[in-house]
Amino acid sequence: MTRVSVTELSSRFQEFLRARSDDPESVHVTDVQALSGGWSRVMYVVTVEDQGAQSKYVYRSDPDAVDIQIPTSRSDEWDVLTALDGLDEVSIPKPLWFDSEGTDFGRPAIVMAHVECESLLSIARRSEPDAFPFMAERIAELLGSLHCVIPEQLPPQLGCYPDWDTYISSRAALWREAEPPGLAPDPFLRLVASWLDANRPEPVPLGLVHGDFHPANVIVTNDDEYMAVDWELAHVGDPREDLGWMALAAGVQPPDLVGSDPDFYATYCKAANLPAEAIDEKTLMYFVALGSTDCYLASLERLGRVSTGESRTVGSAYMAKVSPGMARVIFTAMQRHDQLSRG
């Protein structure tokens, strides 16, 4: 897989759109800019003139194999995007095309409509703290609406489980299974797996989990609409995983918007059609651990590639710093959970 060249992407994108235009010669790519904020995938904003009108698109694909931090499927992501785009209760940037085989772009790629927006994290970092509770309320409403999506509305490859306990067991098993190919025997993985099994909270209905929900993956449009983006880790699971991951992310990507709003979880539960007792501090600590499963275990796999010399990228060095920090947050959450259990 070759690197994504801006010049090559501009040429390929122009030919891609010309093949779909009634007036091919009027189609011209006028600008290609890397989209800042994301690091797991290659993303560009492509500006196009067509018959005198200007349009913008977002191009999204995998980076080179050596630079992939968390292996995910663009095909699965496309299926998620198109499923969500068909639901009235969910608003996302519109998915337009999918080059599944890389015939047009040289690698599998998704093309979406561009939305004039800014990430919520960027807005929060230049705002005064008294604006945070309003932002938190909007996040609660957004996440709650996403968590109303049921498994039957999603692609089957996102997961199908006979019951909640089977799903939790499958997630705990991932921690046990991560040890054999790891860098060395890791009792922490066994500890987390056993702890997740032994401290299960009361179940809620399984549904859509974003998998990487936090303010950097929420955009605010020029019309003040909040949208979730970057759906590559979406799966069917316990929706409270997103709450746990968001709590973990707040520690490394301040400010903590949720902590600014004492009514956040009440607003969330109402929007998600969950009982108020579905989430409290003890339950949240459980989902800090469970919600980190995909990202933490992927970071260990990445470090394994470093140890064998397969990868020596900046991203790998970043993971070497991130993994121990995540482990500390997970362990601290487990300790706090146990402390709350003892009263």
Side-chain angles (χ1 to χ4, degrees):
M1 184 181 286
T2 57
R3 293 189 180 277
V4 177
S5 157
V6 171
T7 302
E8 181 182 358
L9 176 59
S10 177
S11 175
R12 285 179 176 270
F13 210 100
Q14 182 166 288
E15 292 307 309
F16 176 81
L17 291 182
R18 284 184 171 184
R20 290 155 179 80
S21 173
D22 295 332
D23 184 9
E25 295 304 313
S26 72
V27 177
H28 300 280
V29 171
T30 59
D31 191 38
V32 178
Q33 295 290 330
L35 191 59
S36 63
W39 61 276
S40 62
R41 303 299 147 203
V42 173
M43 297 183 67
Y44 287 95
V45 176
V46 182
T47 304
V48 178
E49 284 190 1
D50 185 0
Q51 301 183 51
Q54 186 182 89
S55 301
K56 289 185 178 181
Y57 303 91
V58 173
Y59 164 93
R60 179 175 171 89
S61 71
D62 285 336
D64 293 347
V66 70
D67 293 323
I68 293 176
Q69 306 297 325
I70 301 177
T72 58
S73 166
R74 300 290 65 71
S75 178
D76 289 352
E77 184 178 9
W78 173 254
D79 288 347
V80 171
L81 292 173
T82 53
L84 295 179
D85 185 54
L87 302 177
D88 292 336
E89 61 267 40
V90 177
S91 181
I92 60 172
K94 189 169 185 62
L96 298 175
W97 298 289
F98 178 43
D99 180 10
S100 60
E101 301 297 328
T103 304
D104 295 293
F105 293 110
R107 64 184 72 196
I110 293 170
V111 178
M112 298 170 284
H114 178 264
V115 178
E116 294 296 336
C117 63
E118 185 177 357
S119 83
L120 180 58
L121 182 64
S122 297
I123 295 173
R125 285 181 169 174
R126 59 176 171 78
S127 299
E128 296 298 324
D130 60 4
F132 294 169
F134 174 76
M135 297 177 190
E137 181 182 11
R138 296 290 301 274
I139 293 177
E141 292 170 345
L142 172 63
L143 189 57
S145 69
L146 298 177
H147 288 168
C148 289
V149 178
I150 60 176
E152 291 75 15
Q153 295 173 302
L154 297 168
Q157 66 266 34
L158 265 63
C160 182
Y161 306 91
D163 52 55
W164 183 86
D165 276 307
T166 300
Y167 171 73
I168 296 297
S169 295
S170 73
R171 298 301 276 181
L174 292 176
W175 290 81
R176 295 188 181 93
E177 294 163 2
E179 186 174 11
L183 306 181
D186 189 346
F188 179 67
L189 297 174
R190 280 170 276 147
L191 172 66
V192 174
S194 299
W195 185 87
L196 290 173
D197 269 334
N199 292 281
R200 302 180 183 211
E202 288 297 312
V204 301
L206 297 177
L208 173 65
V209 178
H210 180 279
D212 193 16
F213 189 90
H214 51 82
N217 280 340
V218 174
I219 59 173
V220 182
T221 72
N222 287 359
D223 296 326
D224 198 39
E225 185 174 10
Y226 280 46
M227 296 181 177
V229 296
D230 288 358
W231 287 91
E232 63 183 296
L233 293 176
H235 59 277
V236 168
D238 189 308
R240 294 171 292 184
E241 292 173 60
D242 282 334
L243 296 173
W245 179 249
M246 187 163 51
L248 186 152
V252 296
Q253 287 189 321
D256 179 9
L257 298 180
V258 173
S260 73
D261 180 8
D263 297 323
F264 176 86
Y265 293 109
T267 303
Y268 162 77
C269 287
K270 181 179 180 180
N273 293 324
L274 293 175
E277 59 271 19
I279 188 73
D280 56 19
E281 185 183 1
K282 187 175 82 168
T283 305
L284 180 64
M285 294 301 101
Y286 181 88
F287 285 102
V288 168
L290 189 71
S292 69
T293 297
D294 288 333
C295 289
Y296 180 74
L297 297 184
S299 74
L300 294 188
E301 189 275 337
R302 185 70 176 182
L303 291 178
R305 292 167 63 187
V306 173
S307 71
T308 61
E310 294 178 59
S311 178
R312 300 187 181 279
T313 65
V314 172
S316 300
Y318 174 75
M319 283 296 185
K321 292 286 188 180
V322 167
S323 296
M326 286 180 62
R328 285 193 296 272
V329 173
I330 294 166
F331 187 66
T332 299
M334 293 163 60
Q335 288 181 309
R336 178 57 180 162
H337 176 281
D338 295 347
Q339 183 182 55
L340 292 168
S341 297
R342 293 191 298 268

